[in-house]
C-alpha cells in the first residue's frame, strides 16, 4: 500500500464545475504540500498547510491531521487549471523529505 | 514569492557525455536543496538531499558516483550526470528550502534530459 493515496487519478470536468481532489496518507507528517505540475513539467507549490484550511483565489485546501486526510478544491474551474495535482506530505521522519502521491490528472474542458 | 531557477531546461546529448544541471535560488538563501527524477507518467522520486557546505545524502539505489551533487553556496546546487546513458534519460527537477522546519519547498522548472 502506498504511503500517499490520491483520488481520483484522472478527472475530466466542464469549465465552471467545482473540483475536489482527495489525499489520504499513512505517514506521520508535520505539514502537507499541494503541488501543481503543468504539461511542461514545472511544479508550483499551491499550498503548504499543517492544520485547518487555506484559501488562495479559487483554490481551497483543507487538512484533517487526526484522520490523515487532505482535500484540494477548485471553484469555478477553468481550462487553465488543467494540470497534474500532487499531494506531498512532509514526513516527520525524513528531514524535510516530501512523500509524493501519484498525482491527479485534471482536464477542464471549455 | 520565492523563485528557483533551473538550467538548462532541455538537454539532448550523446551517450557517454557528462551533463551538468544548475539549480539557483534567486531571492532567498537555500540551506537545503533536493534533487528529484521523474519518469513519464510517474511520481517524483527523490534522488538526494543537498545541504550547503556538506556532502549530499543520497537515497537508496541512487549512485553517488553517477550523480554528483555540489552545493557550494546558499544559492546554487548542481547535479552532474556523469557518463550519461540512454537509461538516464528522464526529467530532473530541483527544489529549495530555507532549511528551517516546515519551510515550504520551491521548485525549479525542471530539466528534460535525453541521451541518444
Amino acid at each position: 500500500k502506498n504511503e500517499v493515496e490520491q483520488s481520483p487519478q484522472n478527472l475530466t470536468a466542464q469549465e465552471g464545475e467545482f473540483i475536489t481532489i482527495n489525499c489520504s496518507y499513512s505517514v506521520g507528517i508535520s505539514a502537507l504540500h499541494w503541488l501543481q505540475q503543468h504539461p511542461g513539467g514545472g511544479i508550483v507549490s499551491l499550498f503548504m498547510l499543517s492544520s485547518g484550511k487555506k484559501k488562495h483565489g479559487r483554490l481551497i485546501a483543507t487538512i484533517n491531521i487526526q484522520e490523515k486526510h487532505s482535500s484540494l478544491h477548485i471553484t469555478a474551474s477553468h481550462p487553465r487549471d488543467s494540470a497534474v495535482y500532487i499531494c506531498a506530505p512532509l514526513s516527520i521522519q525524513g528531514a524535510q523529505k516530501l512523500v509524493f502521491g501519484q498525482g491527479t490528472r485534471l482536464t477542464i474542458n471549455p | 514569492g520565492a523563485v528557483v531557477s533551473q538550467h538548462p531546461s532541455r538537454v539532448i546529448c550523446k551517450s557517454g557525455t557528462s551533463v551538468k544541471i544548475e539549480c539557483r535560488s534567486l531571492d532567498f538563501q537555500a540551506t537545503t536543496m533536493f534533487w528529484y527524477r521523474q519518469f513519464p507518467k510517474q511520481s517524483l522520486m527523490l534522488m538526494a538531499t543537498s545541504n550547503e557546505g556538506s556532502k549530499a545524502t543520497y537515497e537508496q539505489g541512487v549512485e553517488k558516483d553517477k550523480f554528483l551533487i555540489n552545493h557550494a553556496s546558499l544559492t546554487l546546487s548542481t547535479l552532474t550526470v556523469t557518463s550519461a546513458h540512454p537509461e538516464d534519460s528522464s526529467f530532473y527537477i530541483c527544489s529549495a528550502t530555507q532549511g528551517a522546519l516546515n519551510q515550504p519547498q520551491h521548485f525549479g522548472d525542471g530539466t528534460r534530459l535525453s541521451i541518444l
Side-chain angles (χ1 to χ4, degrees), chain B residues 12-73:
Chain B
I12 302 173
C13 57
K14 293 181 179 179
S15 185
T17 307
S18 291
V19 178
K20 181 186 278 189
I21 302 169
E22 292 187 350
C23 181
R24 293 181 185 272
S25 58
L26 297 186
D27 52 1
F28 67 100
Q29 292 188 328
T31 53
T32 304
M33 288 186 173
F34 301 88
W35 286 96
Y36 301 94
R37 180 166 55 183
Q38 185 179 36
F39 292 107
K41 300 205 183 295
Q42 293 189 22
S43 189
L44 290 106
M45 184 184 73
L46 179 65
M47 299 175 67
T49 302
S50 166
N51 291 297
E52 184 266 339
S54 61
K55 289 185 178 180
T57 302
Y58 289 80
E59 295 299 299
Q60 195 171 9
V62 178
E63 299 175 58
K64 60 182 179 182
D65 295 331
K66 173 78 172 173
F67 299 99
L68 300 178
I69 291 172
N70 184 279
H71 192 164
S73 78

Side-chain angles (χ1 to χ4, degrees), chain A residues 12-105:
Chain A
T12 300
Q14 291 298 122
E15 183 174 356
E17 287 190 39
F18 181 81
I19 302 300
T20 295
I21 299 170
N22 294 302
C23 174
S24 296
Y25 53 89
S26 57
V27 296
I29 73 167
S30 56
L32 182 145
H33 277 267
W34 277 102
L35 308 173
Q36 180 190 53
Q37 185 170 30
H38 280 280
I43 291 175
V44 173
S45 178
L46 301 173
F47 296 101
M48 190 180 83
L49 67 166
S50 54
S51 66
K53 176 179 173 179
K54 285 192 176 180
K55 185 176 189 293
H56 184 237
R58 295 181 294 107
L59 302 177
I60 303 166
T62 63
I63 190 168
N64 185 318
I65 295 290
Q66 288 73 30
E67 295 186 3
K68 296 191 173 183
H69 182 270
S70 178
S71 293
L72 176 69
H73 306 283
I74 305 175
T75 61
S77 60
H78 190 276
R80 64 174 175 266
D81 297 326
S82 299
V84 175
Y85 292 84
I86 303 168
C87 169
L90 191 62
S91 170
I92 57 174
Q93 295 179 337
Q96 300 192 61
K97 290 182 186 178
L98 294 176
V99 183
F100 294 93
Q102 77 274 30
T104 295
R105 187 172 299 274

